[in-house]
Amino acid sequence: MTAGGDAGAALVCSGVAVHGEAAFVSGYLGRYYLYYAPHDAPGGICLAYADRLEGPYTEYANNPIIDRVLPTTTVSHVSSPHVVWDAPTRQFYLYFHGENYTTRVARSTDGIHFTDETPILSTRLVPNTTETSYARVFEHSVAGKGNRYVMVFMGLHTIGPGARKIFWGWSPNGWSGWQFDPNPLVSPSGDGLTDISAAHLLKHNGTAYLAYHGNSGNMYLTEIGNNFDREVHLGVFHRPIASDNGRVAAPTFGTDGGVSYMLYEAGPRLDARICVARAVQQHLPVTGQTSNSAWNGAPSRRRQRPRSSCPGAASRQ
């Protein structure tokens, strides 16, 4: 889901809006579902819910909703959840990784109980990679691909310059038929970095962008075009403020009540928190000159972290 609708998308934490309507699911817990996970073993996909995108969030009582013991295998950890609502099948699709070289999908009719865990991406499908994880999926058609969904994910590439890069794939339905481009979509060298990850698709002024974080601790913005055929690096999108402890990562965006929000991970990797910031501009800046004043921490709700048996946010390299 893209910024601009009453929907969150995916974070490390991946939030998905239920819109407060029984047309989506009956008996929903809140208008917004926030999916999150730690990365250190054993991980575990957790859920929190709220009636406002900025919170406060309540932890689901029976977390984790997915653990490392899967129907087909047992892995060291599961992490990096991302959820989409697939209207044709009236199902939630949850994407996550475990191990770091395998991305999986599971489905649910209520956003809580997921079944049919299925591997859809691994390093054997993307040449010269040793990790394929931190995937996010969005509804977006690319000319000539016959697709309805795209995936952007982190691939640890054995070909320099740079190591962790953003790759992409496409699918007609979000569940099966996935194909993957063997070449990176965005490379860290364009930002003067070695590693980037956790990309989020944004659309603005008739074109498409990726917002992501880098090993510098900042977030960056790159224009990729509607057909994913461009790589125009626009520089730093957001920098940490003092309370972010030197690192901001894994942005996700949504609009609630006409106000745009960014949920993100802040702090050192493996010791991070889930945070929320409110935009002070009505539209996402895409000039590459965004300052910290573009996003303000929501008063009294910033640092909203569900009390959890899954402490912290899922980590992004």
Side-chain angles (χ1 to χ4, degrees):
M1 300 180 186
T2 59
D6 277 342
L11 173 82
V12 188
C13 329
S14 135
V16 60
V18 185
H19 285 281
E21 295 179 305
F24 267 54
V25 293
S26 60
Y28 57 86
L29 301 175
R31 291 182 61 236
Y32 293 93
Y33 282 9
L34 174 68
Y35 299 87
Y36 62 101
H39 190 274
D40 36 346
I45 309 303
C46 296
L47 168 69
Y49 54 91
D51 286 325
R52 300 174 63 187
L53 190 54
E54 66 176 348
Y57 284 86
T58 300
E59 182 192 12
Y60 178 60
N62 294 318
N63 279 332
I65 58 173
I66 295 180
D67 62 28
R68 71 186 188 97
V69 181
L70 303 171
T72 58
T73 188
T74 296
V75 294
S76 67
H77 72 285
V78 291
S79 193
S80 71
H82 180 98
V83 176
V84 301
W85 168 256
D86 183 61
T89 62
R90 301 187 59 78
Q91 293 179 325
F92 295 91
Y93 292 163
L94 189 158
Y95 305 88
F96 63 100
H97 76 250
E99 309 289 347
N100 285 338
Y101 49 78
T102 303
T103 291
R104 307 169 186 273
V105 65
R107 54 185 160 198
S108 169
T109 57
D110 64 5
I112 302 172
H113 304 94
F114 287 87
T115 61
D116 300 330
E117 168 271 322
T118 302
I120 54 174
L121 166 64
S122 70
T123 52
R124 67 179 180 82
L125 299 176
V126 185
N128 303 307
T129 59
T130 58
E131 295 179 7
T132 47
S133 49
Y134 302 106
R136 291 176 169 183
V137 173
F138 304 89
E139 192 166 352
H140 177 80
S141 296
V142 174
K145 299 297 186 184
N147 72 303
R148 191 160 61 87
Y149 286 97
V150 294
M151 175 191 293
V152 288
F153 62 95
M154 185 276 292
L156 180 50
H157 207 206
T158 59
I159 300 176
R164 291 175 173 85
K165 306 172 184 179
I166 306 301
F167 290 76
W168 77 290
W170 58 94
S171 164
N173 53 34
W175 181 265
S176 61
W178 283 100
Q179 300 181 64
F180 302 100
D181 192 324
N183 301 305
L185 177 62
V186 180
S187 294
S189 58
D191 297 307
L193 304 171
T194 58
D195 300 287
I196 56 177
S197 187
H200 190 289
L201 179 66
L202 297 169
K203 301 178 187 179
H204 185 69
N205 284 347
T207 188
Y209 302 81
L210 290 183
Y212 51 89
H213 73 258
N215 59 285
S216 65
N218 299 324
M219 296 180 190
Y220 295 81
L221 194 70
T222 291
E223 182 185 0
I224 57 171
N226 289 325
N227 289 324
F228 287 35
D229 55 2
R230 306 190 69 189
E231 185 180 352
V232 182
H233 291 258
L234 300 173
V236 174
F237 164 69
H238 187 65
R239 292 181 174 88
I241 60 176
S243 56
D244 288 327
N245 294 321
R247 179 177 176 270
V248 289
T252 190
F253 304 87
T255 302
D256 185 19
V259 178
S260 295
Y261 293 92
M262 176 175 71
L263 280 77
Y264 65 100
E265 175 185 337
R269 190 175 188 270
L270 300 184
D271 189 25
R273 291 174 287 181
I274 302 168
C275 301
V276 60
R278 180 187 296 116
V280 297
Q281 296 175 231
Q282 283 299 310
H283 301 289
L284 178 73
V286 293
T287 63
Q289 304 300 317
T290 305
S291 68
N292 281 336
S293 62
W295 297 94
N296 284 343
S300 78
R301 288 190 174 86
R302 194 161 159 38
R303 301 296 174 210
Q304 183 61 239
R305 172 180 170 182
R307 55 181 182 77
S308 177
S309 59
C310 300
S315 300
R316 305 280 187 180
Q317 180 65 32

